[in-house]
Amino acid sequence: MSRVTIPIGPQHPLLKEPLSFNITLEGENVIDSVLRLGYVHRGIEKLAQSRSFVQNITLFERVCGICSHIHTTTYCQAVEGLLGLEVPRRGVYIRMLLCELERIHSHLLWLGVLAKNIGLNTVFMYAWRDREIVLDLMEEISGGRVSHAINTIGGVRKDLNQDQMKKLTVGLDELIGRVKDLLRIVKNDRSFKARTRGIGFLSQEDVRRYCVVGPVARASGVGIDLRKDAPYAYYDELSFNVVTMNEGDVWARAMVRIHETTEAIRLCQQMVEKLPSGEISATMKRKVPAGEFISRSEAPRGEVIYFVKSDGSQTPARVKVRTPTLTALITLPQQLRGLQMADVSAVVAGVDLCIACADR
Amino acid sequence: MMIFPGFLFLVALGMLFHWIDRKLIARFEGRIGPPWYQPLADTIKLFAKEDILPIGTNEAFALLLPLTSFATVLTAGYYIFSAFLTSSTSFEGDFIMIVFLLSLPSLLFFLGGWTTSGVYSILGGNRSLLQYFSYEVLFLVTLSGASIASGSWSLQGIRAAQESGLPFVIPQFVGFLLAMAGLIGKLKRSPYDIPKAKSEMIVGPLTEYSGKKLAMWKLTDYVQTVAGIALLVQCYFSGLWTTYSPVGIFTSILLMLGLQFALSVISAIFTRLRIDQLIDLNWRLFIPLSLLQNILIIIL
Amino acid sequence: MSFTQAYSAIRKISAAGDEISYPGLNEKQVLLSPARLIPAVQILLENDIYHLSTITGVYEDEQLYLLYHFWDREGLTLRVPVDFLQDQIQTLTQLIPGALFYEREIAEMFGVHINGLDTSQKMFLPDNWEGGAPMRRESTSIPVNEKSEGQ
């Protein structure tokens, strides 16, 4: 059989963001694929060096669309570490609340995209309709549906009043019911399973060798979750489960993500109950002293690490961001090998790409 | 002739059923769905668009293929629909001719992709050919159950056999279900819409078409759907008060709407099957069942 | 097999006398000479510390260092100085395949030559990039490629 090379991307209905990979097919099976990143590379790390610490919050919000809040949270944690600044408890709780709401949003969006890619438009519509509930909640809290601009060095900028908390409770209760429905579909629907089981397999060994993080790693049995392993913020005060599955295929990743959504909803409910009173932010000293700080957190896609170095001047000397999608991208060629052309869309969707994150 | 059951009628009916389909699927998905004039508006818009083809395409072919496609379904539709009203247009052997005419668009669809030779068109075309071989055969085998049972190769004969006995859907219920599956495969609807799978092959063989030619492909699709549904109604439900009278026509319309509803439901609840799963399903399950059905008909 | 064992073993081959501490730094760091990088990574792998978070390039007073951030419930960073005139940095991809993208990014952004790494394809920068390594201190402005023709 002759070999055909199909270009997938940079523009393709499969991909939400530009990424190019050329797949070599022999007959109907994929033999190899070549990745090319960089279509959305904006040089954010270099730009950060010429902006002040506070201006950089706005910059890092825009690394990614979906996980914008977690990026600013991690960055602010790093700078607060350099300053030795302690954020008041209420501020940290509001940060965590938005982080978990973002996680719910990201997973629901992802489920819709996966369903759409495998042809199950109905689930796509349902998942995105449920996503509207989360977006409304986030808009209540921060004023923005996707981009929040609520973090500041030392805490958050907006407070929650009783009215908003009531709306949160109502919305979260509704969400739990909806997500349970979606879970039933993913777990039981035969045509969904027919298109997602057994493809895109990564073994535990692969996860370790490629340093994969996030739901992709948890779906292959490696239960790393920074909220449990090295709790930042006040995650050690809340109770939740880390979900792992052993199958390592696209279906396992779907299961992990949906369970995580349920866990995130429960976390949000706990936070609303336990929200401490007090200030929401601490005042920042003018100058950030020289030093280095490493801040890690668990974004919807895995571990985000920020390394911030200050040399005592107005602007940071170095900010390094590593986002979790990059770890999953390394494994894509291996996941795609041997698959049929029709499975490519399911695998690419299953990895939950956020190319803007990866390219920066 | 032009009006009923000719060109205008078929196109209008095709658009109506297409709109019903989209509205139903939208409601199943929790959306509102397009207004009634959407398919008409889409077609008018397409006719006004620029017609671009890749360099090196045989322009004559690229025009001929959609035109021929459209012409074949119009012809088949003419015979099918006039059989609802009168027996005078029916002749011995017209049943086979109709099935043949209805199978041409799929073949021309594949050739359309081949002519415009883009990567997506060719790959989509290959899949559509595989699907074509499988599901046209299924459609023919199951429908021939109807003609075997009636002992005639004409539509008139099939209708008459049912009116004097039971409508074929009852003894050939399995055959009817398989014919529905065959129709879904022919029309390349979900779950069998691999050749048109947006997230994989862009639009498959039709990727490079635009403007009037694309409009004609789409019109072919609309008319093929109604013609296929009408054919199923005639072959399986003819005994049910579908005489040549207003009541009969009304019942026929209801039955057609019912079949369209079933098609929409099936599209909404299943994912798209992979090409190997589709072919597998067809040759391992559907065709043997339909052959068994036909053997039973011959024996009994 | 533990973090503390690995840490003390690596400190033994470290280039610095005392434990490194930068003001504010919240994770352990060890200064290594480039030749000691691979042995240190091997010690880590023996102690089941396999997760490389990322590789950062950072300037400290005119000297460029590569920081290899490892993590196993605690963070450990290996700090390796880079000498542009001598190609001493070896690739880690034989031991940790997941280091590939991070090393390619360092090679592209800082212009560091890493032995054993295939840098024929650019990763983040466009194929026709003319400006040299963008993250180097010398590259203060981003060069604009020629204006394209047309509207």
Side-chain angles (χ1 to χ4, degrees):
Chain A
M1 281 251 203
S2 61
R3 295 187 169 195
V4 184
T5 306
I6 305 188
I8 303 235
Q11 319 285 4
H12 196 275
L14 255 188
L15 305 167
K16 296 282 155 278
E17 289 164 342
L19 165 72
S20 159
F21 49 110
N22 292 315
I23 298 191
T24 316
L25 286 183
E26 184 161 328
E28 188 75 22
N29 293 326
V30 177
I31 306 182
D32 205 6
S33 46
V34 177
L35 272 160
R36 177 69 165 102
L37 296 171
Y39 288 95
V40 209
H41 179 70
R42 294 152 285 165
I44 286 194
E45 294 179 2
K46 183 86 179 176
L47 287 174
Q49 290 177 357
S50 50
R51 283 159 173 68
S52 75
F53 283 92
V54 177
Q55 283 174 326
N56 275 331
I57 303 179
T58 321
L59 183 63
F60 284 110
E61 186 126 28
R62 279 136 185 87
V63 169
C64 176
I66 301 184
C67 34
S68 58
H69 179 77
I70 194 77
H71 277 276
T72 48
T73 305
T74 325
Y75 172 71
C76 290
Q77 276 177 351
V79 181
E80 285 150 13
L82 276 175
L83 285 168
L85 191 61
E86 180 161 335
V87 182
R89 285 174 58 91
R90 191 177 172 89
V92 178
Y93 263 77
I94 297 180
R95 267 188 192 167
M96 287 200 297
L97 182 62
L98 221 52
C99 280
E100 291 308 311
L101 282 175
E102 217 176 46
R103 194 181 312 271
I104 301 170
H105 170 219
S106 173
H107 287 335
L108 282 176
L109 188 140
W110 169 82
L111 182 65
V113 170
L114 175 66
K116 182 168 189 301
N117 277 358
I118 61 178
L120 194 53
N121 267 343
T122 318
V123 171
F124 165 54
M125 298 290 171
Y126 285 174
W128 279 44
R129 189 194 54 191
D130 300 337
R131 178 183 160 245
E132 290 295 321
I133 304 178
V134 180
L135 288 173
D136 286 338
L137 288 177
M138 290 205 280
E139 196 183 2
E140 272 298 320
I141 301 179
S142 70
R145 276 157 58 100
V146 176
S147 180
H148 309 296
I150 204 174
N151 268 328
T152 179
I153 300 185
V156 294
R157 291 170 50 224
K158 294 206 177 97
D159 203 350
L160 282 181
N161 58 28
Q162 286 298 342
D163 211 22
Q164 289 166 325
M165 309 240 303
K166 255 188 248 145
K167 285 196 185 139
L168 267 176
T169 325
V170 167
L172 289 171
D173 285 332
E174 198 181 342
L175 258 184
I176 278 232
R178 302 267 183 105
V179 173
K180 282 212 167 76
D181 276 339
L182 289 172
L183 173 63
R184 231 186 31 230
I185 297 179
V186 170
K187 210 161 139 184
N188 298 327
D189 187 76
R190 280 175 56 190
S191 54
F192 187 90
K193 279 164 57 166
R195 285 299 300 271
T196 53
R197 292 207 78 154
I199 55 174
F201 179 70
L202 279 181
S203 65
Q204 265 202 17
E205 203 37 55
D206 289 329
V207 165
R208 286 159 176 248
R209 285 170 59 221
Y210 288 107
C211 304
V212 183
V213 291
V216 179
R218 292 196 274 276
S220 295
V222 181
I224 47 174
D225 188 333
L226 277 170
R227 297 173 292 166
K228 273 270 196 269
D229 298 334
Y232 55 100
Y234 287 113
Y235 277 106
D236 43 1
E237 293 181 358
L238 304 168
S239 74
F240 64 101
N241 301 320
V242 173
V243 188
T244 55
M245 299 218 93
N246 288 320
E247 285 87 345
D249 53 14
V250 176
W251 182 78
R253 290 169 205 156
M255 290 292 287
V256 166
R257 287 194 175 101
I258 297 214
H259 279 299
E260 264 180 24
T261 317
T262 335
E263 293 295 325
I265 300 179
R266 286 206 201 104
L267 270 171
C268 287
Q269 288 172 328
Q270 286 176 48
M271 283 186 238
V272 170
E273 260 177 79
K274 290 188 181 172
L275 192 64
S277 53
E279 295 290 312
I280 52 172
S281 75
T283 355
M284 173 192 167
K285 286 203 289 284
R286 286 247 147 203
K287 252 182 65 170
V288 179
E292 300 179 354
F293 199 89
I294 300 179
S295 161
R296 299 173 201 256
S297 66
E298 184 80 13
R301 284 163 187 76
E303 170 201 18
V304 165
I305 173 173
Y306 267 72
F307 168 84
V308 179
K309 179 183 172 64
S310 160
D311 53 9
S313 68
Q314 291 289 353
T315 61
R318 177 84 169 99
V319 183
K320 163 78 176 173
V321 186
R322 196 280 267 135
T323 51
T325 313
L326 209 52
T327 62
L329 278 173
I330 305 185
T331 62
L332 253 188
Q334 176 174 341
Q335 284 185 36
L336 288 177
R337 203 164 293 139
L339 285 186
Q340 296 201 9
M341 183 63 206
D343 290 327
V344 171
S345 48
V347 169
V348 169
V351 167
D352 201 3
L353 301 171
C354 181
I355 305 297
C357 264
D359 276 349
R360 288 155 290 134
Chain B
M1 254 271 269
M2 262 307 273
I3 307 202
F4 177 86
F7 172 74
L8 277 179
F9 169 74
L10 286 172
V11 169
L13 194 67
M15 288 190 186
L16 177 67
F17 269 67
H18 182 73
W19 171 73
I20 294 176
D21 181 37
R22 283 174 71 168
K23 194 80 175 172
L24 280 174
I25 292 186
R27 288 294 161 126
F28 289 141
E29 293 177 354
R31 297 180 285 128
I32 300 181
W36 65 267
Y37 48 81
Q38 188 71 38
L40 183 62
D42 285 342
T43 313
I44 295 178
K45 183 199 78 170
L46 273 179
F47 270 100
K49 293 267 180 187
E50 188 185 350
D51 218 325
I52 311 177
L53 282 175
I55 303 178
T57 315
N58 186 332
E59 299 227 1
F61 255 156
L63 181 60
L64 199 60
L65 289 171
L67 260 182
T68 323
S69 242
F70 194 37
T72 54
V73 288
L74 282 179
T75 320
Y78 169 72
Y79 280 102
I80 296 177
F81 278 95
S82 53
F84 273 125
L85 284 188
T86 159
S87 60
S88 58
T89 54
S90 180
F91 55 89
E92 195 62 31
D94 71 345
F95 173 69
I96 282 294
M97 180 196 78
I98 289 175
V99 175
F100 168 68
L101 281 177
L102 281 182
S103 76
L104 273 184
S106 309
L107 181 61
L108 295 173
F109 183 71
F110 159 72
L111 282 178
W114 200 257
T115 317
T116 56
S117 61
V119 175
Y120 297 116
S121 308
I122 295 200
L123 273 171
N126 286 346
R127 281 121 165 267
S128 86
L129 202 60
L130 276 175
Q131 194 169 323
Y132 171 68
F133 283 139
S134 311
Y135 283 87
E136 297 291 345
V137 171
L138 179 65
F139 198 59
L140 177 62
V141 172
T142 50
L143 283 183
S144 45
S147 87
I148 294 175
S150 62
S152 138
W153 285 118
S154 78
L155 264 185
Q156 168 56 21
I158 294 177
R159 290 178 63 106
Q162 294 184 66
E163 273 155 31
S164 58
L166 284 175
F168 287 154
V169 66
I170 297 175
Q172 295 182 34
F173 187 63
V174 175
F176 167 64
L177 290 177
L178 293 175
M180 286 281 278
L183 185 64
I184 300 179
K186 263 167 70 73
L187 296 174
K188 291 181 270 299
R189 295 172 57 92
S190 180
Y192 299 144
D193 61 346
I194 289 269
K196 292 202 240 162
K198 275 210 185 54
S199 52
E200 297 158 29
M201 288 292 119
I202 320 293
V203 205
L206 298 184
T207 311
E208 306 288 346
Y209 283 93
S210 52
K212 294 190 276 293
K213 303 190 182 65
L214 186 60
M216 273 193 279
W217 284 115
K218 287 199 182 291
L219 286 173
T220 316
D221 229 3
Y222 300 165
V223 177
Q224 195 181 16
T225 313
V226 283
I229 293 181
L231 188 61
L232 281 186
V233 166
Q234 301 220 342
C235 287
Y236 285 102
F237 291 93
S238 267
L240 256 39
W241 311 290
T242 54
T243 51
Y244 302 131
S245 65
V247 176
I249 297 178
F250 182 64
T251 334
S252 311
I253 296 180
L254 275 183
L255 286 166
M256 284 176 59
L257 287 173
L259 284 187
Q260 173 66 63
F261 183 81
L263 286 179
S264 300
V265 169
I266 296 178
S267 280
I269 55 183
F270 289 115
T271 61
R272 187 183 303 132
L273 286 181
R274 274 206 317 256
I275 192 81
D276 66 322
Q277 290 168 332
L278 208 135
I279 309 269
D280 222 34
L281 196 61
N282 186 48
W283 292 98
R284 284 197 197 189
L285 187 63
F286 291 166
I287 300 258
L289 274 180
S290 61
L291 287 175
L292 195 62
Q293 169 88 80
N294 286 359
I295 293 175
L296 283 176
I297 298 173
I298 298 179
I299 299 179
L300 299 170
Chain C
M1 295 290 181
S2 78
F3 189 84
T4 31
Q5 275 182 318
Y7 179 57
S8 41
I10 295 182
R11 287 244 16 248
K12 286 204 187 80
I13 57 174
S14 151
D18 297 322
E19 184 169 336
I20 293 204
S21 73
Y22 281 90
L25 187 59
N26 57 332
E27 292 182 3
K28 296 190 167 55
Q29 236 187 65
V30 183
L31 180 67
L32 291 174
S33 65
R36 294 270 181 255
L37 174 63
I38 301 277
V41 173
Q42 278 167 336
I43 296 177
L44 285 173
L45 287 177
E46 279 164 28
N47 281 283
D48 217 22
I49 301 174
Y50 55 83
H51 186 79
L52 173 68
S53 286
T54 190
I55 306 177
T56 309
V58 78
Y59 276 99
E60 177 89 32
D61 302 324
E62 310 304 330
Q63 169 72 44
L64 176 68
Y65 288 94
L66 290 187
L67 304 183
Y68 291 76
H69 301 286
F70 283 88
W71 191 78
D72 179 27
R73 291 169 202 274
E74 275 185 66
L76 173 65
T77 307
L78 304 179
R79 195 181 187 99
V80 179
V82 170
D83 186 346
F84 285 110
L85 298 174
Q86 302 178 15
D87 294 334
Q88 295 168 314
I89 312 280
Q90 288 289 110
T91 178
L92 291 187
T93 45
Q94 319 285 13
L95 300 167
I96 304 182
L100 177 67
F101 276 9
Y102 310 138
E103 288 184 346
R104 278 177 74 182
E105 185 181 347
I106 295 283
E108 200 172 281
M109 294 285 159
F110 284 94
V112 175
H113 184 254
I114 298 185
N115 290 323
L117 190 69
D118 171 23
T119 50
S120 51
Q121 264 251 320
K122 286 224 180 301
M123 192 159 88
F124 290 120
L125 298 169
D127 289 329
N128 58 352
W129 179 260
E130 300 279 328
M135 290 297 287
R136 291 259 198 121
R137 246 192 202 147
E138 306 89 73
S139 308
T140 46
S141 63
I142 317 282
V144 179
N145 292 336
E146 289 170 9
K147 284 214 177 80
S148 56
E149 295 168 353
Q151 296 96 335

